[in-house]
C-alpha cells in the first residue's frame, strides 16, 4: 500500500483542496479530503486513471467528475503502483524506452518510404477497381467537352491516313484481346496549345494531334507505339488512380502529421508534389511497358517506340541523363531511360524487323 | 479588478522528450495504417497542455481518441466523396465548393467549440458560444466584401474575427472580454506592407541595376529568390505576430478573474522563427518536435497573467457536448478556424 498527497477538485470547481489517497494492492483507493468532508473508498472499477505522459502526473478521475492529482514528490510512486492497472503501457513504453527509440528511428523511415512507394499505389490499384466505369466515363466526357471547347480543333489529316492509323490500332487491340475495346475511341485533332501530343481520358478516349502524327513515321509503327502507350493508360486506369493516389497521400499525411504551421505547409506541398510526380513517372513507365510488351506479343519490334521517342524530343533530352534531384520534379521518366528500355527489349528478339 | 501580481506562464516541456513522444506516435500510427493517429494527436496535445501551467496548475486536454478517430473517418469519407463528385463535372465541382463555403462557418464554430470544451484549467472547462450566423459574417461575408475595397478593409475584418473569437470564449462561468482597437490592426498591416514593399524596391533596384550593367549576378534562376523572400516573410510574420499578440494580451481579460500582458518583442520572435526554420531545414524536418517546444516555451515565458482570488472559487455548469467531427472536418477541408489563443 502506498500513501499519496495531492490536490483534489470537486466536479467543475476550481478550488484545489489538499487530499490524501491510500492505494491498496488490489487497486482500491481510499480518498480522504478533510476540508471537503470526503472520506470514501473506490474500487478499481469505479475510477479511471489518466494518461501517463512523460514528465506529467497520472491523475485519478472519479465517477462524479471530481479529480485528484498527486503532488510532485508522490508522482513516481503512484506511477509504479498504477503499473498493473494502466491501459496505456504500450504507448508509454514506446515513448520512453531507448530501445523503442532506436527501433523507431531505424524502421520508421523504411516503413514510410515503403508505404508511399508500394502501399499507396497498391491501395489505389485496388480501390480503382471499385469505382464504377459510369463515374469514370462521366469524368472523361466532361473533361473532353472542355478540351474540345478550349484547346482542340478539327484535324486536317487526310481521311485515308486517319483510317490507316485507326485500323492498325484497332487490329492490335483485337490481337491483344483488350477488354472493352469496342468502347475505345480515337480522336484526331489539332491543337495550338498542345502541339505534338497525345493523351488518354478515363472514358476510354485517346486524342492525338496532327503535328504529332506528322513528325512520326506511320509505316514504321511509330504512331502505333504512341497509341499503345496511351492505350496502356486507359487499360491500367491511370486517370482514376492518379486521383486516388493524390487523395491517399493527402489523407495519410494529414493523419500522421496533424496540424502544420505555414512553413511546414510549404514543405508538405513540395513533398506532395514530389510524391505525386513519382507516381506519375511510375505510371508512364507502366504505359511504356504496355506498348513495348504489346509490340512483342504482336511480333513487331519495340524499336518503333524508341525511334518515336527520339523523334519527339530534341537531341539534348534523348542523350542525357537527368540527375536524381531534377528527376524529382518531372512527371515523366528521363527520355533516355525510356528509349533504352525499348531498345533493350528490341535487342532481345533479334528475329523481329 | 483586485489582482495578484503579474507572473509568467510556465512551460516545462522538453525537446528530446517530446521528440521521443512524437516519433513513437508516428511509428505506431504508421503500423496501424493511421488508426492510432487519433491517440497520437491526443497524447501529443496532452503533453503540450500538461506542461503549460500557471500557479502550479496545469492545463488539461480531455478529448477522447475514439471521438477523434470517428471524426477523422467521416471527414475522410467526405473528402473522397468530394474529390470524386468534383472530378465528374466542373459544374458539380462549383456546386460542391459553394456547399463547402456555406457549411464552413458551421464547421468553424463546431471546431472551436470542441477544442475549447476539451480544454480545462484548474478543473474548469473552457467553452465557446459563438453563433454560426456571426461566424458566417466574420469569416465569409466580410472577407468577401473586403475584396471590393481592394483589401483595404482587411485589417478591420481581422479585428472583427479576433473579437468574435475572444468575446465568445468562456472560462467556466466567466466570459472573456476583448476590447480591440481597429487602429492598431491598421498599423500592423501598414508596417508589414512597408516591409514587403521595401524589400521589393531594394531587390528590384539591385536586379534592375545589374540588368542594366550587363552583369547578372543573380543566376541559378528564380530558385535563389526563395531565400530572401523567405527571410522577409519570416521578419514580416514576426512583426505581425508580436504586435498582434501584444495588443490582444493587453486588451483581453477574463471577467473578474484574470488579465494578461506580454513582453514579447519583434526581435525575440524573429530570432525564434529564423532559428526554427534553420533547425527544421538542416535536419530535414526531424527537429520538428524541438521547434514546437521552443515556440511554445518562448510564447509562454513571454506571456504574463494576473489572477484575482475569485479564480480559486469558481463553479462551472456542465457544457453541452460537442462532437469532434467539426474539428476533423475543418482539418480535412483545410478550413482555418483560427480557434486558438495565438
Amino acid at each position: 500500500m502506498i500513501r499519496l498527497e495531492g490536490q483534489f477538485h470537486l466536479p467543475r470547481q476550481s478550488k484545489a483542496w489538499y487530499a490524501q489517497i491510500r492505494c491498496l494492492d488490489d487497486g482500491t483507493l481510499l480518498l480522504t479530503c478533510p476540508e471537503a468532508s470526503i472520506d470514501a473508498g473506490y474500487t478499481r472499477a469505479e475510477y479511471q486513471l489518466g494518461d501517463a505522459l512523460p514528465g506529467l502526473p497520472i491523475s485519478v478521475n472519479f465517477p462524479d467528475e471530481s479529480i485528484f492529482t498527486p503532488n510532485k514528490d508522490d508522482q513516481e510512486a503512484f506511477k509504479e503502483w498504477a503499473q498493473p492497472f494502466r491501459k496505456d503501457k504500450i504507448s508509454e513504453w514506446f515513448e520512453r524506452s531507448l530501445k523503442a527509440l532506436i527501433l523507431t528511428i531505424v524502421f520508421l523511415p523504411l516503413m514510410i518510404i515503403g508505404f508511399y512507394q508500394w502501399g499507396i499505389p497498391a491501395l489505389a490499384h485496388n480501390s480503382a477497381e471499385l469505382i464504377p466505369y459510369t463515374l469514370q466515363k462521366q469524368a472523361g466526357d466532361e473533361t473532353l467537352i472542355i478540351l474540345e471547347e478550349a484547346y482542340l480543333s478539327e484535324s486536317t489529316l487526310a481521311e485515308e491516313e486517319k483510317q490507316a492509323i485507326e485500323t492498325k490500332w484497332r487490329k492490335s487491340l483485337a490481337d491483344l484481346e483488350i477488354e472493352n475495346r469496342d468502347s475505345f475511341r480515337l480522336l484526331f485533332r489539332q491543337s495550338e496549345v498542345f502541339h505534338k501530343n497525345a493523351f488518354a481520358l478515363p472514358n476510354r478516349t485517346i486524342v492525338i494531334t496532327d503535328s504529332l502524327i506528322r513528325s512520326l513515321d506511320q509505316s514504321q509503327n511509330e504512331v502505333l507505339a504512341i497509341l499503345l502507350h496511351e492505350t496502356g493508360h486507359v487499360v491500367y486506369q491511370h486517370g482514376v488512380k492518379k486521383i486516388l493516389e493524390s487523395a491517399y497521400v493527402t489523407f495519410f499525411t494529414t493523419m500522421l502529421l496533424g496540424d502544420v504551421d505555414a512553413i511546414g505547409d510549404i514543405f508538405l506541398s513540395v513533398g506532395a508534389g514530389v510524391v505525386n510526380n513519382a507516381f506519375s513517372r511510375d505510371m508512364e513507365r507502366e504505359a511504356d511497358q504496355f506498348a513495348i510488351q504489346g509490340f512483342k506479343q504482336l511480333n513487331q519490334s519495340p524499336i518503333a517506340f524508341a525511334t518515336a521517342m527520339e523523334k519527339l524530343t530534341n537531341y539534348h533530352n534523348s542523350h542525357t541523363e537527368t540527375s536524381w534531384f531534377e528527376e524529382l520534379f518531372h512527371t515523366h521518366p528521363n527520355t533516355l531511360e525510356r528509349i533504352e528500355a525499348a531498345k533493350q527489349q528490341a535487342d532481345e528478339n533479334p528475329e523481329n524487323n | 479588478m483586485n489582482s495578484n501580481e503579474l507572473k509568467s506562464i510556465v512551460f516545462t516541456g522538453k525537446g528530446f522528450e517530446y521528440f521521443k513522444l512524437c516519433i513513437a506516435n508516428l511509428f505506431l500510427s504508421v503500423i496501424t495504417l493511421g488508426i492510432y493517429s487519433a491517440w497520437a494527436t491526443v497524447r501529443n496535445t496532452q503533453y503540450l497542455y500538461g506542461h503549460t501551467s500557471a500557479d502550479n496548475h496545469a492545463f488539461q486536454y480531455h478529448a477522447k481518441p475514439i471521438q477523434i478517430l470517428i471524426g477523422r473517418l467521416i471527414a475522410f469519407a467526405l473528402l473522397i466523396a468530394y474529390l470524386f463528385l468534383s472530378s465528374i463535372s466542373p459544374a458539380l465541382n462549383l456546386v460542391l465548393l459553394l456547399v463547402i463555403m456555406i457549411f464552413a462557418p458551421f464547421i468553424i464554430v463546431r471546431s472551436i467549440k470542441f477544442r475549447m470544451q476539451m480544454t480545462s484549467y484548474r478543473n474548469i472547462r473552457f467553452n465557446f458560444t459563438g453563433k454560426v450566423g456571426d461566424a458566417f459574417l466574420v469569416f465569409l461575408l466580410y472577407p468577401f466584401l473586403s475584396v471590393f475595397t481592394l483589401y483595404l478593409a482587411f485589417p478591420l475584418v481581422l479585428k472583427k474575427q479576433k473579437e468574435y473569437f475572444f468575446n465568445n470564449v468562456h472560462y467556466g462561468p466567466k466570459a472573456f472580454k476583448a476590447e480591440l482597437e481597429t487602429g492598431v490592426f491598421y498599423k500592423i498591416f501598414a508596417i508589414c506592407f512597408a516591409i514587403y514593399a521595401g524589400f521589393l524596391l531594394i531587390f528590384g533596384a539591385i536586379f534592375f541595376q545589374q540588368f542594366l550593367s550587363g552583369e547578372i549576378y543573380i543566376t541559378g534562376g528564380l530558385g535563389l529568390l526563395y531565400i530572401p523572400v523567405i527571410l522577409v516573410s519570416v521578419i514580416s510574420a514576426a512583426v505581425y505576430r508580436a504586435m498582434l499578440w501584444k495588443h490582444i494580451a493587453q486588451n483581453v481579460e477574463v471577467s473578474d478573474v484574470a488579465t494578461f500582458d506580454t513582453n514579447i518583442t519583434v526581435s525575440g520572435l524573429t530570432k525564434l522563427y529564423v532559428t526554427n526554420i534553420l533547425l527544421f531545414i538542416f535536419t530535414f524536418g526531424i527537429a520538428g518536435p524541438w521547434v514546437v517546444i521552443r515556440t511554445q516555451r518562448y510564447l509562454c515565458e513571454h506571456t504574463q497573467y494576473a489572477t484575482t482570488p475569485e479564480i480559486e472559487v469558481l463553479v462551472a455548469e456542465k457544457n453541452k457536448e460537442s462532437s469532434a467531427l467539426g474539428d476533423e472536418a475543418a482539418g480535412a477541408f483545410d478550413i482555418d478556424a483560427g480557434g486558438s489563443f495565438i
Side-chain angles (χ1 to χ4, degrees), chain A residues 9-10 12-15 51-54 56 65 88 91 94-95 104 135 138-139 142 146 247 251 255-256, chain B residues 21 27 34 36-37 43 46-47 50-51 72 76 83 87-90 122-124 311-314 316 318:
Chain A
H9 288 271
L10 288 167
R12 295 186 300 284
Q13 290 187 28
S14 64
K15 178 132 186 75
D51 288 327
L53 278 311
L56 294 176
E65 281 184 53
D88 61 344
S91 308
F94 265 100
E95 292 158 10
T104 319
L135 276 177
Q138 223 176 321
E142 297 277 343
I146 296 177
F251 174 66
M255 282 260 265
L256 293 181
Chain B
L21 181 65
F27 181 80
Y36 188 80
S37 67
R43 291 182 78 84
Q46 281 176 334
Y47 181 87
H51 279 281
R72 278 197 181 160
F76 177 57
L83 281 174
S87 69
I88 285 182
S89 91
R122 292 190 195 232
N123 197 37
I124 301 275
I311 200 174
E312 296 179 35
V313 292
L314 293 176
K318 220 174 155 67

Side-chain angles (χ1 to χ4, degrees), chain B residues 86-292:
Chain B
S86 66
S87 69
I88 285 182
S89 91
L92 200 51
N93 189 8
L94 278 174
V95 168
L96 284 171
L97 279 176
L98 219 66
V99 167
I100 291 178
M101 264 187 14
I102 293 181
F103 267 96
F106 180 70
I107 294 180
I108 289 176
V109 169
R110 299 283 300 247
S111 161
I112 301 178
K113 203 176 191 127
F114 178 74
R115 227 173 284 184
M116 288 295 120
Q117 288 185 350
M118 295 296 119
T119 308
S120 73
Y121 173 70
R122 292 190 195 232
N123 197 37
I124 301 275
R125 300 244 181 152
F126 290 83
N127 197 5
F128 182 74
T129 52
K131 302 256 179 310
V132 176
D134 291 332
F136 171 76
L137 288 178
V138 150
F139 289 109
L140 232 61
L141 189 61
Y142 293 167
F144 175 68
L145 291 178
S146 80
V147 173
F148 297 108
T149 66
L150 298 177
Y151 285 118
L152 284 173
F154 200 70
L156 178 61
V157 173
L158 191 67
K159 174 204 172 216
K160 291 224 167 283
Q161 289 180 348
K162 295 294 179 199
E163 272 181 341
Y164 170 72
F165 174 68
F166 282 106
N167 281 327
N168 283 302
V169 176
H170 298 261
Y171 175 60
K174 298 294 178 184
F176 273 66
K177 238 181 359 182
E179 280 172 16
L180 307 176
E181 287 168 40
T182 315
V184 173
F185 283 81
Y186 272 96
K187 189 167 93 169
I188 297 176
F189 270 81
I191 296 181
C192 291
F193 180 75
I195 294 178
Y196 270 111
F199 164 73
L200 280 172
L201 277 170
I202 298 176
F203 209 75
I206 297 178
F207 197 72
F208 194 59
Q209 181 213 42
Q210 293 197 347
F211 185 70
L212 284 180
S213 72
E215 298 164 25
I216 309 250
Y217 292 116
I218 309 178
T219 49
L222 291 167
L224 268 189
L225 206 65
Y226 265 126
I227 301 173
V229 165
I230 291 186
L231 212 60
V232 168
S233 302
V234 168
I235 296 176
S236 183
V239 167
Y240 175 81
R241 277 283 209 85
M243 293 184 67
L244 190 62
W245 187 233
K246 205 175 194 110
H247 184 61
I248 288 179
Q250 291 170 346
N251 290 283
V252 167
E253 64 175 36
V254 185
S255 313
D256 308 325
V257 158
T259 53
F260 305 95
D261 197 356
T262 175
N263 59 356
I264 204 177
T265 59
V266 172
S267 56
L269 205 57
T270 308
K271 231 184 349 198
L272 177 74
Y273 283 172
V274 171
T275 46
N276 277 346
I277 290 183
L278 292 176
L279 209 60
F280 193 82
I281 293 180
F282 287 109
T283 60
F284 293 106
I286 295 180
W290 273 272
V291 166
V292 171

Side-chain angles (χ1 to χ4, degrees), chain A residues 243-309:
Chain A
I243 297 179
L244 286 172
E245 280 175 350
S246 183
Y248 290 138
V249 167
T250 308
F251 174 66
F252 285 110
T253 313
T254 313
M255 282 260 265
L256 293 181
L257 297 180
D259 219 5
V260 251
D261 60 4
I263 290 293
D265 207 19
I266 296 178
F267 282 99
L268 274 183
S269 311
V270 175
V274 168
V275 170
N276 285 333
N277 280 349
F279 291 145
S280 174
R281 288 195 301 276
D282 285 341
M283 291 195 236
E284 292 302 323
R285 287 192 194 99
E286 262 187 19
D288 285 353
Q289 279 305 311
F290 180 85
I292 293 171
Q293 298 305 325
F295 271 123
K296 289 172 77 166
Q297 262 189 282
L298 297 169
N299 277 320
Q300 313 266 358
S301 173
I303 198 74
F305 187 77
T307 52
M309 287 271 97

Side-chain angles (χ1 to χ4, degrees), chain A residues 251 255, chain B residues 38 64-79 114 323-333:
Chain A
F251 174 66
M255 282 260 265
Chain B
K64 298 271 166 290
I66 294 282
Q67 295 175 291
I68 303 230
L69 182 64
I70 294 179
R72 278 197 181 160
L73 291 175
I74 297 181
F76 177 57
L78 290 175
L79 183 67
F114 178 74
S323 84
L325 174 58
D327 209 21
E328 294 304 319
F333 287 92

Side-chain angles (χ1 to χ4, degrees), chain A residues 43-103:
Chain A
T43 60
R44 178 68 199 93
E46 285 170 328
Y47 63 86
Q48 272 192 339
L49 290 172
D51 288 327
L53 278 311
L56 294 176
I58 303 178
S59 55
V60 183
N61 301 300
F62 297 102
D64 63 348
E65 281 184 53
S66 51
I67 186 170
F68 173 84
T69 316
N71 285 341
K72 216 166 169 52
D73 303 325
D74 296 334
Q75 284 170 12
E76 266 310 305
F78 186 48
K79 213 173 199 168
E80 252 187 70
W81 173 88
Q83 263 304 96
F85 312 113
R86 285 201 293 117
K87 282 185 278 179
D88 61 344
K89 282 186 285 215
I90 298 180
S91 308
E92 211 234 330
W93 180 78
F94 265 100
E95 292 158 10
R96 197 176 28 92
S97 139
L98 193 60
K99 269 188 248 164
L101 182 63
I102 296 174
L103 180 81

